[in-house]
């Protein structure tokens, strides 16, 4: 009898262990949580790139996400300025610069009286290369991201890894608690690097990737993937609206990158080609294995920003053959990235979203050529006019401390010295500059802080206005007027060409569908938090898009 009791005890113990293991192995399935969340941001991607180039895409990239996932077709940024750093921060925090504090890629710091970079941090050092390009962290971002909230929820067991060509595209999405953020250092290296904010040495898998000479592989001719004559969705290859590369007389295909690299920053030339996205995809695929992402029942997050689309757009413009080829090739990179997720994490085990940090305007010179109102602003001449007015009105030009990001910063010490009322000077500036050609609107910081706007550009400006960091006067240019060179595209406004971007959801917990209902960029983070069952990011103002869930 004693032996029988012992035997039954062992059987019960084995059954109990197996039952516990079954519960653990099915934890994600029963809770509906994915093993891995992947956030993809395509830098400077207009919504119409999904539709304009649709027939050139294969079945496994953009089309797979559109045809098997959920497509929010009327997705917009809900603040100004529409720049890279605020865009990435807003996607992942679920709020706007008013709260997260990233008011530009760089901005004038009123306390230390100089420009600061969104991710710059001189308290940390580069890891992977001896360069100031590695002195970066998310310390200027004031609120949490949904990636932070997942780390907190999982007691820091769920990993977060951020990857991009740009440091800010890797750092801000990954949040404050990330295990790592990696960005591309070109020049003479062609390496992915990080900072001591995250680690003291690069992991073996990153060193292996860097020493594999993968970047050197892409220093090759860049030609169109298909016959250039079939690229009917973009303008002529030879035109007056594109920048190009030093060392090549015309901005036309093909580009021999090996020949051109020495005059264009060494490996940095890859950033402004379609191959910049390819090396990011290579690195992201390596990260899945290297970091063992999605290999257990605790949700990990991988953030990937494809930034070369932005460099190409700035250089060649949104209507260029180069942009079309870049998106056709990005589609292939997305296809192999999704296949890698299927193989390494398992189809049905991950959830993914794809969006952009901003869109872009057509090259104004091109718009002028087809009789659409557009043009250019001479910023230096404009600043001189601001100073001249202040000298005439108040007897000194020292009242203006800085002009940047379409904002005027006043010298508060000088105002006090001259016993001038701040609001009076702000209003005087607004009443003056609103008369200037191609300044469409102007507002005081006082009005931004005391008036509750509910419609129009005023609402977007207010959501981008941070009381401690923004300027004393904000102004807006006429539509399609930019302070930029005569070639290439840029962004930053409240107009649809800058705010309308894709939003695709795909994978575990996401149903197939589409909507023209307006969604906002700040809805993404709460949606992912709702999917994961975590707290919303600390400053989130968006709403979960429950109609995307199964």
């Amino acid at each position: 009898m004693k032996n029988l009791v012992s035997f039954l005890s062992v059987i019960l113990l084995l059954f109990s262990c197996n039952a516990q293991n079954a519960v653990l192995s099915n934890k994600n399935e029963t809770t509906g949580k994915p093993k891995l969340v992947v956030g993809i941001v395509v830098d400077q991607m207009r919504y119409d790139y999904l539709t304009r180039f649709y027939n050139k895409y294969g079945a496994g990239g953009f089309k797979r996400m559109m045809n098997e996932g959920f497509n929010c077709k009327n997705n917009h940024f809900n603040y100004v300025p529409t720049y890279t750093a605020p865009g990435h921060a807003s996607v992942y925090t679920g709020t706007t610069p008013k709260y997260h504090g990233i008011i530009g890629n760089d901005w004038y710091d009123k306390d230390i009286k100089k420009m600061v970079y969104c991710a710059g941090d001189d308290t940390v050092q580069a890891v992977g290369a001896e360069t100031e390009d590695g002195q970066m962290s998310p310390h200027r971002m004031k609120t949490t991201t949904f990636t932070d909230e997942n780390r907190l929820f999982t007691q820091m067991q769920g990993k977060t890894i951020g990857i991009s060509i740009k440091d800010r595209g890797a750092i801000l999405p990954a949040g404050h608690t990330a295990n790592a953020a990696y960005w591309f250092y070109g020049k003479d290296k062609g390496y992915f690097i990080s900072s001591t904010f995250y680690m003291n040495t690069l992991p073996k898998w990153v060193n292996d990737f860097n020493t594999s000479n993968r970047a050197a592989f892409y220093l090759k001719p860049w030609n169109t993937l298909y016959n250039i004559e079939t690229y009917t969705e973009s303008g002529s290859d030879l035109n007056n609206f594109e920048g190009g590369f030093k060392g090549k007389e015309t901005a036309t295909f093909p580009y021999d990158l090996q020949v051109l690299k020495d005059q264009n920053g060494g490996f940095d030339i890859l950033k402004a080609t379609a191959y910049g996205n390819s090396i990011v995809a290579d690195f992201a695929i390596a990260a899945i294995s290297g970091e063992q992402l999605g290999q257990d029942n605790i949700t990990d997050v991988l953030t990937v920003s494809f930034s070369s689309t932005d460099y190409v757009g700035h250089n060649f413009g949104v209507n260029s053959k180069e942009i079309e080829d870049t998106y056709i090739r990005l589609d292939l990179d997305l296809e192999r990235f999704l296949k890698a997720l299927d193989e390494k994490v398992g189809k049905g085990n991950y959830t993914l979203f794809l969006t952009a940090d901003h869109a872009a305007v057509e090259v104004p010179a091109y718009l002028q050529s087809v009789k659409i109102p557009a043009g250019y602003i001479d910023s230096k001449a404009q600043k001189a006019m601001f100073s001249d007015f202040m000298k005439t009105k108040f007897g000194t030009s020292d009242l203006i401390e800085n002009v940047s990001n379409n904002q005027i910063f006043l010298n508060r010490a000088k105002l006090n010295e001259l016993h001038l009322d701040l609001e009076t000077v702000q209003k005087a500036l607004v009443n003056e500059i609103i008369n200037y050609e191609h300044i469409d609107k102007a507002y005081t910081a006082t009005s931004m802080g005391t008036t509750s706007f509910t419609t129009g550009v005023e609402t977007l400006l207010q959501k981008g206005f941070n009381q401690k960091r923004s300027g004393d006067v904000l102004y807006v240019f006429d539509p399609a007027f930019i302070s930029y060179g005569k070639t290439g595209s840029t962004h930053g406004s409240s107009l649809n060409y800058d705010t309308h971007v894709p939003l695709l959801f795909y994978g575990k917990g996401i149903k197939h569908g589409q909507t023209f209902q307006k969604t906002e960029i700040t809805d993404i983070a709460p949606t992912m938090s709702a999917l994961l069952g975590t707290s919303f990011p600390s400053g989130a103002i968006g709403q979960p898009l429950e109609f995307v869930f199964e």
Side-chain angles (χ1 to χ4, degrees), residues 184 189-191 209 212-219 267 270 279:
F184 186 72
K189 298 292 186 185
Y191 287 175
F209 186 92
S212 71
N213 292 319
R214 191 61 182 165
F217 169 78
Y218 290 112
L219 289 175
F267 285 103
L270 294 177
I279 197 169

Side-chain angles (χ1 to χ4, degrees), residues 119-194:
D121 187 349
D122 58 12
T123 69
V124 301
Q125 300 300 316
V127 175
E130 294 183 7
T131 171
E132 292 181 358
D133 293 356
Q135 292 187 278
M136 303 290 168
S137 83
H139 74 108
R140 286 193 169 92
M141 184 167 61
K142 294 186 168 187
T143 60
T144 62
T145 59
F146 85 78
T147 57
D148 286 324
E149 296 301 335
N150 185 64
R151 290 274 286 157
L152 293 169
F153 183 84
T154 62
Q155 301 302 309
M156 300 296 174
Q157 294 179 79
K159 279 189 173 182
T160 298
I161 305 294
I163 295 168
S164 179
I165 283 283
K166 295 181 180 179
D167 48 58
R168 57 187 181 269
I171 291 168
L172 299 174
H176 302 277
T177 59
N179 300 81
Y182 301 104
W183 54 96
F184 186 72
Y185 176 69
K187 300 180 182 178
D188 62 332
K189 298 292 186 185
Y191 287 175
F192 279 89
I193 66 171
S194 189

Side-chain angles (χ1 to χ4, degrees), residues 330-349:
L330 174 59
D331 182 61
L332 295 177
D333 288 326
L334 290 170
E335 180 174 358
R336 63 190 181 89
F337 180 52
L338 289 170
K339 285 181 178 178
L341 288 168
D342 291 344
E343 294 168 4
K344 297 172 185 288
V345 182
K347 188 173 183 180
N349 286 331

Side-chain angles (χ1 to χ4, degrees), residues 44 241-245 251 272 310-317 484 487-489:
Q44 202 188 118
F241 314 122
E242 302 176 10
F245 295 112
D310 183 70
Y311 287 107
V312 175
H314 277 294
N315 192 354
F316 298 97
Y484 198 68
T487 59
S489 298

Side-chain angles (χ1 to χ4, degrees), residues 476-536:
V476 177
F477 296 143
D478 281 340
F481 275 77
I482 61 175
S483 177
Y484 198 68
K486 296 296 177 68
T487 59
S489 298
T490 193
H491 47 86
S493 80
S494 65
L495 280 288
N496 285 329
Y497 54 67
D498 281 336
T499 67
H500 191 193
V501 297
L503 178 54
L504 304 174
F505 292 95
Y506 173 85
K508 185 175 180 63
I510 305 299
K511 70 181 180 183
H512 172 52
Q514 61 184 31
T515 184
F516 283 106
Q517 176 181 327
K518 187 172 184 179
T519 57
E520 295 182 331
I521 211 73
T522 49
D523 295 331
I524 297 171
T527 300
M528 302 317 295
S529 293
L531 178 71
L532 298 177
T534 66
S535 294
F536 289 7

